[in-house]
Coordinates of all heavy atoms in Angstrom, one line a residue:
D399 N 109.2 138.3 64.3 CA 108.4 137.2 63.7 C 109.1 136.9 62.3 O 109.3 135.7 62.0 CB 107.0 137.7 63.5 CG 106.1 136.6 62.8 OD1 106.6 135.5 62.5 OD2 104.9 136.9 62.7
A400 N 109.3 137.9 61.5 CA 110.0 137.8 60.2 C 111.4 137.1 60.3 O 111.7 136.3 59.5 CB 110.0 139.1 59.5
A401 N 112.1 137.6 61.3 CA 113.5 137.1 61.5 C 113.5 135.6 61.9 O 114.3 134.8 61.3 CB 114.2 137.9 62.5
F402 N 112.6 135.3 62.8 CA 112.6 133.9 63.2 C 112.1 133.0 62.0 O 112.7 131.9 61.8 CB 111.6 133.7 64.3 CG 112.1 134.0 65.7 CD1 111.4 134.8 66.6 CD2 113.3 133.4 66.2 CE1 111.9 135.1 67.8 CE2 113.8 133.7 67.4 CZ 113.1 134.5 68.3
A403 N 111.2 133.5 61.2 CA 110.7 132.7 60.1 C 111.7 132.5 59.0 O 111.8 131.4 58.4 CB 109.5 133.4 59.5
E404 N 112.6 133.5 58.8 CA 113.6 133.4 57.7 C 115.0 133.0 58.2 O 115.9 133.1 57.4 CB 113.7 134.8 57.0 CG 112.3 135.3 56.4 CD 111.8 134.4 55.3 OE1 112.6 133.6 54.7 OE2 110.6 134.4 55.1
D405 N 115.1 132.7 59.5 CA 116.4 132.4 60.1 C 117.1 131.2 59.5 O 118.3 131.1 59.4 CB 116.3 132.3 61.6 CG 117.7 132.2 62.3 OD1 118.3 133.2 62.5 OD2 118.0 131.0 62.5
G406 N 116.3 130.2 59.1 CA 116.8 129.0 58.6 C 117.0 127.9 59.6 O 117.4 126.8 59.3
S407 N 116.7 128.2 60.9 CA 116.8 127.3 61.9 C 115.5 126.7 62.3 O 114.4 127.5 62.2 CB 117.5 127.9 63.2 OG 118.7 128.4 62.9
D408 N 115.4 125.5 62.8 CA 114.1 124.9 63.2 C 114.0 125.1 64.7 O 114.6 124.4 65.5 CB 114.1 123.4 62.9 CG 112.7 122.8 63.2 OD1 111.8 123.5 63.7 OD2 112.6 121.5 63.1
F409 N 113.2 126.1 65.1 CA 113.0 126.4 66.5 C 112.0 125.5 67.2 O 111.8 125.6 68.4 CB 112.7 127.9 66.7 CG 113.8 128.8 66.3 CD1 113.7 129.5 65.1 CD2 114.9 129.0 67.1 CE1 114.7 130.3 64.7 CE2 115.9 129.9 66.8 CZ 115.8 130.6 65.5
G410 N 111.2 124.8 66.4 CA 110.2 123.9 66.9 C 108.9 124.6 67.3 O 108.0 124.0 67.9
V411 N 108.8 125.9 67.2 CA 107.7 126.7 67.6 C 107.4 127.7 66.4 O 108.3 128.2 65.8 CB 108.0 127.5 68.9 CG1 106.8 128.3 69.3 CG2 108.4 126.5 70.0
P412 N 106.1 128.0 66.1 CA 105.8 129.0 65.1 C 106.5 130.3 65.3 O 106.6 130.7 66.5 CB 104.3 129.0 65.1 CG 103.8 127.7 65.7 CD 104.9 127.3 66.7
S413 N 106.9 130.9 64.3 CA 107.7 132.2 64.5 C 106.8 133.3 65.2 O 107.4 134.0 66.0 CB 108.1 132.7 63.1 OG 107.0 132.9 62.2
A414 N 105.5 133.3 64.9 CA 104.7 134.3 65.5 C 104.6 134.1 67.1 O 104.6 135.1 67.8 CB 103.3 134.3 65.0
D415 N 104.6 132.8 67.5 CA 104.6 132.5 68.9 C 105.9 132.9 69.5 O 106.0 133.4 70.7 CB 104.2 131.1 69.1 CG 102.8 130.7 68.7 OD1 102.0 131.6 68.5 OD2 102.6 129.5 68.5
L416 N 107.0 132.6 68.8 CA 108.3 132.9 69.3 C 108.5 134.4 69.5 O 109.0 134.8 70.6 CB 109.4 132.4 68.4 CG 109.8 130.9 68.5 CD1 110.8 130.6 67.3 CD2 110.5 130.6 69.8
A417 N 108.0 135.2 68.6 CA 108.2 136.6 68.7 C 107.5 137.2 69.8 O 107.9 138.3 70.4 CB 107.7 137.3 67.4
R418 N 106.4 136.6 70.3 CA 105.6 137.1 71.4 C 105.7 136.4 72.6 O 105.0 136.6 73.6 CB 104.1 137.1 70.9 CG 103.9 138.2 69.8 CD 102.6 137.8 69.0 NE 102.4 138.8 67.9 CZ 103.1 138.7 66.7 NH1 104.0 137.8 66.5 NH2 102.9 139.6 65.8
H419 N 106.7 135.4 72.7 CA 106.9 134.6 73.9 C 107.5 135.5 75.0 O 108.2 136.5 74.7 CB 107.9 133.5 73.5 CG 107.9 132.4 74.5 ND1 108.6 132.5 75.7 CD2 107.4 131.2 74.5 CE1 108.5 131.4 76.4 NE2 107.7 130.6 75.7
V420 N 107.2 135.1 76.2 CA 107.7 135.9 77.4 C 109.2 136.0 77.4 O 109.8 137.0 77.8 CB 107.1 135.3 78.7 CG1 107.6 133.9 78.9 CG2 107.5 136.2 79.9
L421 N 109.9 134.9 76.9 CA 111.3 135.0 76.9 C 111.8 136.0 75.9 O 112.9 136.6 76.1 CB 111.9 133.6 76.6 CG 111.7 132.5 77.7 CD1 112.2 131.2 77.3 CD2 112.3 132.9 79.0
S422 N 111.2 136.1 74.8 CA 111.6 137.1 73.8 C 111.3 138.5 74.3 O 112.2 139.4 74.2 CB 110.8 136.9 72.5 OG 111.1 135.7 71.9
R423 N 110.2 138.7 75.0 CA 109.9 140.0 75.5 C 110.9 140.4 76.6 O 111.4 141.5 76.6 CB 108.5 140.1 76.1 CG 107.4 140.0 75.1 CD 106.1 140.6 75.7 NE 105.7 140.0 76.9 CZ 104.9 138.9 77.0 NH1 104.5 138.3 75.9 NH2 104.6 138.4 78.2
M424 N 111.3 139.5 77.5 CA 112.2 139.8 78.5 C 113.7 139.9 77.9 O 114.5 140.6 78.4 CB 112.2 138.7 79.6 CG 110.8 138.6 80.3 SD 110.8 137.5 81.7 CE 111.7 138.4 82.9
G425 N 113.9 139.1 76.9 CA 115.2 139.2 76.2 C 115.4 140.6 75.6 O 116.5 141.1 75.6
M426 N 114.4 141.1 74.9 CA 114.5 142.5 74.4 C 114.7 143.5 75.4 O 115.3 144.6 75.2 CB 113.2 142.8 73.5 CG 113.2 142.1 72.2 SD 111.8 142.7 71.2 CE 110.4 141.8 71.9
A427 N 114.2 143.2 76.6 CA 114.5 144.1 77.8 C 115.7 143.8 78.5 O 116.1 144.5 79.5 CB 113.3 144.1 78.7
H428 N 116.5 142.9 78.0 CA 117.8 142.5 78.6 C 117.7 142.1 80.1 O 118.4 142.7 80.9 CB 118.9 143.6 78.4 CG 119.0 144.1 77.0 ND1 119.5 143.3 76.0 CD2 118.7 145.3 76.4 CE1 119.5 143.9 74.8 NE2 119.0 145.1 75.0
H429 N 116.8 141.2 80.3 CA 116.6 140.7 81.7 C 117.9 140.2 82.3 O 118.7 139.5 81.7 CB 115.5 139.6 81.6 CG 115.4 138.9 83.0 ND1 114.6 139.4 84.0 CD2 115.9 137.7 83.4 CE1 114.7 138.6 85.0 NE2 115.4 137.6 84.7
R430 N 118.1 140.6 83.5 CA 119.2 140.2 84.3 C 118.8 139.8 85.7 O 118.5 140.6 86.6 CB 120.3 141.3 84.4 CG 121.0 141.6 83.1 CD 121.8 140.5 82.6 NE 122.6 140.8 81.4 CZ 122.1 140.6 80.2 NH1 120.9 140.2 80.0 NH2 122.8 140.9 79.1
G431 N 118.7 138.5 85.9 CA 118.4 137.9 87.2 C 119.3 136.8 87.4 O 120.5 136.9 87.1
L432 N 118.8 135.6 87.9 CA 119.6 134.4 87.9 C 119.9 134.0 86.5 O 120.9 133.3 86.2 CB 118.9 133.3 88.7 CG 118.8 133.6 90.2 CD1 118.1 132.4 90.8 CD2 120.2 133.8 90.8
V433 N 119.0 134.4 85.6 CA 119.1 134.1 84.1 C 119.4 135.4 83.4 O 118.7 136.4 83.7 CB 117.9 133.4 83.6 CG1 118.0 133.2 82.1 CG2 117.7 132.1 84.3
A434 N 120.3 135.4 82.5 CA 120.6 136.6 81.6 C 119.9 136.3 80.3 O 120.2 135.3 79.6 CB 122.0 136.9 81.5
L435 N 119.1 137.2 79.8 CA 118.4 137.0 78.6 C 118.6 138.2 77.6 O 118.5 139.4 78.0 CB 116.9 136.9 78.8 CG 116.4 135.6 79.6 CD1 114.9 135.7 79.8 CD2 116.7 134.4 78.8
D436 N 119.0 137.9 76.4 CA 119.1 139.0 75.4 C 118.5 138.4 74.1 O 118.9 137.3 73.6 CB 120.6 139.3 75.1 CG 121.2 140.0 76.3 OD1 120.8 141.2 76.6 OD2 122.1 139.5 77.0
V437 N 117.7 139.2 73.5 CA 117.1 138.8 72.2 C 117.2 140.1 71.3 O 116.8 141.2 71.7 CB 115.7 138.4 72.3 CG1 115.0 138.2 70.9 CG2 115.6 137.1 73.0
G438 N 117.7 139.9 70.1 CA 117.7 141.0 69.1 C 117.9 140.5 67.7 O 117.8 139.3 67.4
L439 N 118.2 141.4 66.8 CA 118.4 141.1 65.4 C 119.9 141.1 65.1 O 120.6 141.9 65.6 CB 117.7 142.0 64.5 CG 116.1 142.0 64.6 CD1 115.5 143.0 63.7 CD2 115.6 140.6 64.4
N440 N 120.3 140.3 64.1 CA 121.7 140.2 63.7 C 121.9 140.9 62.3 O 122.9 140.6 61.7 CB 122.2 138.8 63.7 CG 123.7 138.6 63.6 OD1 124.4 139.4 64.3 ND2 124.2 137.6 63.0
L441 N 120.9 141.6 61.9 CA 121.0 142.4 60.6 C 120.5 143.8 60.9 O 119.6 144.0 61.8 CB 120.0 141.7 59.6 CG 120.5 140.5 58.8 CD1 119.4 140.1 57.9 CD2 121.8 140.8 58.0
P442 N 120.9 144.8 60.2 CA 120.4 146.1 60.3 C 118.9 146.2 59.8 O 118.5 145.3 59.0 CB 121.3 147.0 59.5 CG 121.9 146.1 58.5 CD 122.0 144.7 59.2
V443 N 118.2 147.1 60.2 CA 116.8 147.3 59.7 C 116.8 148.6 58.9 O 117.3 149.7 59.4 CB 115.8 147.4 60.8 CG1 114.4 147.7 60.3 CG2 115.8 146.1 61.6

């Protein structure tokens, strides 16, 4: 949520909704089907 909000890009969707979106959840799990999904952070924590 914080990363989406401070990313500087206009995603067109509130950051809280993006962080909890099914695509984000499946991306964190590195979904591999007909679609490959990856979601993560580009900064250390």
Side-chain angles (χ1 to χ4, degrees):
D399 183 359
F402 279 128
E404 302 297 339
D405 184 83
S407 302
D408 183 7
F409 294 101
V411 179
S413 60
D415 295 343
L416 277 174
R418 292 158 182 80
H419 196 280
V420 61
L421 293 179
S422 293
R423 291 202 306 270
M424 297 185 75
M426 284 188 283
H428 306 295
H429 171 79
R430 291 295 184 270
L432 293 178
V433 175
L435 295 174
D436 291 293
V437 172
L439 296 179
N440 198 33
L441 282 177
V443 175

